[in-house]
Amino acid sequence: WAYHAPISKLVLFEYQKGRGREGPANLLKDFEGILQTDGYVTYTSLFEKSEKVRLAGCMAHARRYFDEAVSNDASKAKHVIAQIAKLYAIEQQIRDTPGMEERDICLKRISEASPILEELHKWLQAEAPKVTPNSPIGKAIGYALKLWDRLTLYLYHGQLQIDNNQIENLIRPIALGRKNFLFCGSHAQITIVKPIINLII
């Protein structure tokens, strides 16, 4: 499991035997604040009803579903991808403007990104009944609608990013080496694996 605190630029890699809820449930038991994740069900089951933790979504994960749906329904998928590209263009403008305060970031997002998201939300709601839920485009639309409140939370928090690509980039060395790590030991020999991972990072 990888955890990233973007403001303090801290990264934690915690080894667990599996992808069950025990890992984040234990590590984040005292956490209070906003947790930005993909739509993995573990986060929902742990924090959806929490009064201390608010979940934020990742637009990159939502877009990925539409990328995969292009071969299924190019017209609908490309329409959404184009709208998401507009959102990322706004984020690029924010990054290219040095010294923007959090308040100014929020104001820009609300004035420029919010109308795009509102129209996209209406479009997704209108198109959802027209597609087969289990088709690639149906899954893409369903994913976005289910997590809509999380995907749009970044509008109101200048510290948040539109996606969690920062942590995705940080864990790339592990993702690339995962097959090789299979031969580095076992759960019982994790003390051997940890130094290897630390060296790679």
Side-chain angles (χ1 to χ4, degrees):
W1 292 84
Y3 302 88
H4 179 218
I7 305 303
S8 54
K9 303 185 185 306
L10 296 174
V11 183
L12 170 67
F13 294 87
E14 185 194 37
Y15 175 81
Q16 292 286 334
K17 291 184 178 181
R19 289 278 290 163
R21 55 181 282 156
E22 295 81 9
N26 181 59
L27 189 70
L28 300 173
K29 64 180 183 297
D30 298 320
F31 175 76
E32 296 184 18
I34 298 175
L35 185 65
Q36 188 169 31
T37 73
D38 57 18
Y40 188 42
V41 66
T42 289
Y43 305 118
T44 300
S45 66
L46 284 173
F47 303 113
E48 189 173 45
K49 298 180 180 180
S50 172
E51 296 180 356
K52 297 180 179 180
V53 178
R54 188 163 187 190
L55 292 172
C58 172
M59 192 65 72
H61 280 84
R63 182 181 58 190
R64 193 173 302 161
Y65 280 90
F66 289 98
D67 286 336
E68 295 170 355
V70 169
S71 59
N72 170 239
D73 192 322
S75 177
K76 288 183 175 61
K78 288 183 177 180
H79 172 75
V80 177
I81 292 170
Q83 301 312 302
I84 294 176
K86 295 178 183 178
L87 300 174
Y88 273 86
I90 294 169
E91 294 305 301
Q92 186 61 53
Q93 293 172 13
I94 291 172
R95 287 192 294 272
D96 291 342
T97 306
M100 279 193 77
E101 300 290 337
E102 290 178 28
R103 178 179 178 275
D104 296 326
I105 292 173
C106 290
L107 289 174
K108 183 174 179 64
R109 286 172 173 171
I110 291 170
S111 64
E112 299 182 24
S114 185
I116 298 170
L117 286 162
E118 288 177 8
E119 287 300 315
L120 180 56
H121 192 213
K122 292 176 184 176
W123 185 91
L124 291 169
Q125 289 176 316
E127 295 299 318
K130 303 176 185 178
V131 300
T132 304
N134 288 327
S135 66
I137 190 64
K139 290 179 179 178
I141 292 175
Y143 181 93
L145 286 175
K146 181 179 179 181
L147 299 179
W148 192 255
D149 288 344
R150 300 186 202 176
L151 291 172
T152 56
L153 185 62
Y154 83 99
L155 293 173
Y156 311 104
H157 295 272
Q159 290 184 348
L160 284 181
Q161 301 296 317
I162 192 172
D163 56 37
N164 62 0
N165 279 349
Q166 288 183 342
I167 188 65
E168 295 287 333
N169 293 332
L170 288 167
I171 65 174
R172 184 168 287 119
I174 290 181
L176 292 174
R178 189 172 289 133
K179 289 184 179 180
N180 291 330
F181 298 159
L182 290 174
F183 305 101
C184 289
S186 65
H187 295 302
Q189 297 170 311
I190 191 59
T191 53
I192 299 175
V193 180
K194 279 183 178 178
I196 297 173
I197 294 176
N198 288 335
L199 285 173
I200 294 174
I201 295 169

